[in-house]
């Protein structure tokens, strides 16, 4: 656990490419150990595999130039945004050049009448939303971390309000991509829909930088709703909470967020965020719409929750109360880690058909208990996606083994329920063994596509396929 | 115009494959001229290029067996649903075997609690919706024709309510596909969202059968809304109507349909459907939601329309009135043809950013007038997509040339506005020249993918790429 395979290194090629890039990029080309390690994998249990050098790109032309040098010398190229990915996506198992895109952070254009915008990949979602606020617009995808939009695109990120607004695949209209050859393409236009050939936009979204480096993104935007309200409700069991979720969605309530915290997560939130929630499975909700519509939505949910024994139902449109609740939800990762200082949290990310959700969550709780693991659960339950976060003492080999067993067991359980091992974190290095268990022969098609577009395997090698 | 390139035929291979398939499929294997021509292209101006034989597949295993025989003999395989595509998608320019999937018409499973279902490709959208009605569910994508869901998937179809529910790309969860090798893969699971590797589902949606034959589809479903209302409103100009559309969408009204008819289309609808609408640009709308919500939506739209000089605004929740209005909209293709009996209607399908829509529609009207063409316009204007339908006397070479000039000019105009030559009809044979003008070097990536997955080019050759 925590091991990541090393791949063969092309030492001569790396040395040659580094020499050329150093010449061209001057102080934007860096090889200091701390910079390199900071660009390897720092946020997960997967070991850090640092690149040989980091280049801070300023433009699409910079990226194309870097890629052309690397292509000529058959050297790996790894795109980097904010480094918040969770499955080893930015590690460099064969060494190579990391292209840091964080300085490509311009908001190129906003088209309010078309509800879209064009951004460079280093723009973060908070930066974009701050910029959009006084235009009455927002970009809805919210994975928690203040990730870069390039990284969110590359991992097909989603988060708490995907239940209403979809994932990155639903919110990217077009991409500019530097291919492994250094050629720059554009995958689509600003038209809201298109049947113009193969959907290269959706192929690049979620490809984790293995088919090219994203250098510009055209995103759909939303108008800021007239009203927002938040609600919370406690349930006796996870099953009852999931029943309420299913009924709410089947009823057609256009809920914007519907999040589950299990007992342990509620306990963590109370301690970390100074709340006083009943220690019991909890749903947090958010509704967007007109004043009348958010009131109606909350009311319908309240009735549904009451039918399955929900208690302590409260809702509010007050921004202060709403923010407190959602800040607590956003802080859950840190709140959970605080339950066991010094332990490493290893995020799982299964997503199952919603009819199997209660069974899957409950089984995960039981399995963690059986293995002696503390593994609080939070979930984007409107989509059937949840994260169990086993807290592991990495110095204790038995515990590490139990953690590994838990992850493997949970991924296989989700797959057996016609679900996926990853709803939003991606495959990276960590989930490669599960991809084939989940999709079988389809993985060979992915390999064929990878080989066709990147025959020398220079684009983020060792991730997803290969 | 109307010409479709012939491709080289592999006569020996076709004869050998036909012999084997005849043996295996008996009376499900047919070579009669009328059957073959009915499976070539009948609904468009593109010339009919019939396949050499048609096999009526009964199962995925049948499809895999047919494809394996064709792969061995390097013979084209063309999937066929209901034959309602508009760009030559089912033509056989190199001959070969048509796989008719219409008898694979089972609804395999419906999962109401997950809001999804699994269908065979020959199921039509009306068949599915009839089946779902008493479960309180519906499948929202409505391209007008009672197309097969396999065909709708393959062309990335959409239609009148894409503005709310998206296109086929947004409503397909997973596919079973027979690859050009005859191997059967599944592209995804029933999870509502996934980051598990390359998005092969979205790659196959819209690939027009050039990468494989779709043999099973997992679709998202919607609950039938508690209430539906329809509205209509006339405007003095196309520009005013488009201003109302933009404002409605920017305001966040979750309109389910918002359709434009220009003056000529209104005239056609009045005559064909016995209506008495004012001869002026018209918007038809539909709202879905709770009783309160549809009333609120209609009211907001009414105010917006009033601000830009809309007149004759009426709305209704009466099913009878709603159906009459929407039946007229659905009959527009026939109503338009009836304006000039004997003429061929040639559908265009551009889609532009909504801020450019009024300009694009008005320019199309002016250009048609300049060329002496009668070309009524209807549009899915919430998405910026519209169809001008020049009515051409195919016996008059000057008129045919004018029609061709109009189409070419309009596609180029849309592309110059950062739009697409096809919002929902696909590339097929008819739009291949425009694909490269629109997407440039990205087409080479499509060609590389095609070559990697279908190296012998047996899957629907001559469409999209190649």
């Amino acid at each position: 656990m925590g091991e990541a395979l090393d791949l063969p290194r092309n030492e001569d090629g790396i040395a040659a490419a580094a020499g050329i890039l150093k010449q061209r990029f001057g102080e934007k080309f860096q090889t200091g150990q701390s910079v390199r390690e900071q660009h390897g994998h720092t946020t997960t249990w997967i070991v850090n595999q640092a690149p040989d050098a980091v280049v801070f790109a300023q433009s699409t032309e910079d990226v194309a130039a870097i890629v052309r040098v690397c292509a000529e010398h058959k050297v790996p190229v790894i795109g980097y945004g904010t480094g918040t990915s969770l499955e080893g996506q930015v590690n460099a198992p064969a060494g190579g050049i990391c292209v840091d895109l964080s300085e490509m952070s311009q908001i190129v254009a906003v088209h309010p009448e078309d509800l879209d915008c064009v951004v460079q990949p280093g723009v973060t979602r908070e930066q974009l939303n701050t910029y959009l606020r006084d235009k009455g617009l927002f970009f809805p995808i919210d994975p928690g971390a203040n990730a870069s939009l390039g990284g969110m695109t590359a991992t097909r990120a989603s988060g708490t309000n995907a239940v209403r607004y979809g994932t990155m695949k639903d919110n990217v209209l077009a991409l500019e991509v530097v291919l492994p050859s250094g050629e720059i393409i554009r995958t689509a236009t600003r038209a809201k829909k298109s049947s113009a050939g193969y959907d290269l936009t959706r192929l690049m979204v979620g490809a984790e930088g293995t088919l090219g480096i994203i250098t510009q993104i055209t995103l759909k935007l939303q108008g800021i709703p007239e009203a927002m309200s938040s609600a919370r409700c406690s349930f006796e069991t996870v099953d009852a909470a999931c029943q309420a979720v299913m009924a709410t969605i089947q009823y057609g309530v256009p809920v914007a967020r519907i999040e589950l915290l299990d007992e342990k997560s509620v306990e963590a939130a109370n301690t970390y965020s100074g709340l006083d929630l009943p220690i019991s499975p909890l749903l947090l909700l958010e509704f967007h719409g007109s004043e009348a519509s958010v009131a109606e939505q909350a009311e319908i949910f309240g009735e549904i929750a009451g039918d399955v024994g929900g208690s302590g139902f409260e809702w509010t449109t007050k921004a202060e109360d709403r923010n407190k609740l959602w800040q607590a939800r956003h802080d859950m990762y840190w709140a959970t880690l605080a339950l066991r200082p010094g332990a490493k949290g290893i995020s799982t990310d299964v997503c199952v058909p919603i009819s199997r959700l209660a069974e899957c969550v409950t089984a995960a709780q039981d399995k963690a208990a059986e293995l002696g693991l503390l593994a609080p659960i939070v979930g984007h339950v409107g989509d059937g996606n949840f994260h169990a976060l086993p807290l592991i003492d990495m110095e204790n080999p038995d515990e590490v083994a139990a953690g590994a067993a838990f992850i493997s067991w949970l991924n296989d359980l989700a797959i057996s329920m016609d679900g996926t091992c990853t709803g939003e974190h991606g495959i990276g290095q960590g989930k490669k063994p599960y991809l084939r268990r989940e999709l079988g022969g389809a993985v060979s098609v992915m390999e064929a596509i990878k080989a066709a577009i990147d025959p020398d395997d220079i684009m983020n090698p060792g991730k997803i396929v290969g």
Side-chain angles (χ1 to χ4, degrees), chain A residues 25-301:
Chain A
F25 288 97
E27 65 184 16
K28 294 293 180 188
F29 174 92
Q30 297 195 12
T31 54
Q33 189 177 342
S34 67
V35 169
R36 293 193 298 108
E37 286 188 356
Q38 188 260 320
H39 285 78
H41 226 69
T42 52
T43 55
T44 79
W45 58 279
I46 296 173
V47 293
N48 189 306
Q49 297 175 309
D52 292 281
V54 179
V55 188
F56 292 82
Q58 309 298 308
S59 66
T60 299
E61 289 62 39
D62 277 0
V63 176
I66 296 164
V67 171
R68 278 195 302 270
V69 169
C70 288
E72 192 184 340
H73 296 279
K74 302 193 178 174
V75 167
V77 193
I78 301 145
Y80 183 97
T82 58
T84 50
S85 62
L86 290 161
E87 291 294 344
Q89 277 96 343
V90 295
N91 256 342
I97 308 298
C98 173
V99 184
D100 185 309
L101 299 151
S102 63
E103 295 177 10
M104 286 177 66
S105 59
Q106 280 175 42
I107 295 166
V108 179
V110 176
H111 306 109
E113 64 282 22
D114 295 317
L115 293 175
D116 73 39
C117 69
V118 181
V119 300
Q120 289 190 316
V123 173
T124 67
R125 65 173 186 86
E126 288 181 7
Q127 180 194 345
L128 178 61
N129 278 326
T130 301
Y131 184 86
L132 292 173
R133 198 169 298 146
D134 66 3
K135 296 175 174 57
L137 299 171
F138 79 114
F139 178 69
I141 309 300
D142 176 0
N146 185 22
S148 69
L149 291 159
M152 287 169 62
T153 303
T155 48
R156 204 181 296 130
S158 47
T160 47
N161 47 27
V163 62
R164 168 136 180 191
Y165 298 102
T167 75
M168 288 305 284
K169 93 171 157 51
D170 305 300
N171 288 280
V172 173
L173 280 175
L175 295 170
E176 179 188 78
V177 178
V178 174
L179 295 176
S181 61
E183 194 194 344
I184 301 162
I185 62 160
R186 209 177 150 210
T187 59
T189 72
R190 282 208 299 122
K192 271 284 178 298
K193 65 183 197 184
S194 164
S195 284
Y198 304 159
D199 192 344
L200 299 183
T201 309
R202 250 50 60 184
L203 182 64
M204 293 292 170
V205 172
E208 302 182 10
T210 63
L211 300 176
I213 293 187
I214 295 164
T215 49
Q216 202 176 76
I217 311 160
T218 305
L219 292 167
K220 282 192 208 173
L221 300 175
Q222 304 285 330
I224 294 175
E226 179 192 329
M228 293 190 193
S229 71
S230 289
R232 68 177 176 88
C233 188
S234 296
F235 296 84
E236 283 184 27
T237 62
V238 163
D239 189 63
C242 289
Q243 293 296 334
V245 173
M246 267 196 284
T248 304
I249 290 181
Q250 278 186 275
Y251 195 87
V253 179
V255 60
R257 308 188 206 236
I258 186 162
E259 297 284 306
L260 173 74
L261 276 65
D262 77 349
E263 295 92 328
K264 292 203 174 65
S265 289
V266 170
E267 217 177 301
N270 279 349
T271 309
Y272 189 86
S273 302
L275 301 174
D276 191 23
L277 300 163
I279 306 295
S280 173
L282 178 81
L283 289 181
L284 297 181
L285 298 95
E286 191 167 89
F287 306 106
H288 294 175
S290 66
E291 295 285 356
S293 162
V294 301
E296 186 184 39
Q297 293 178 53
E299 192 186 331
I300 294 169
F301 174 76

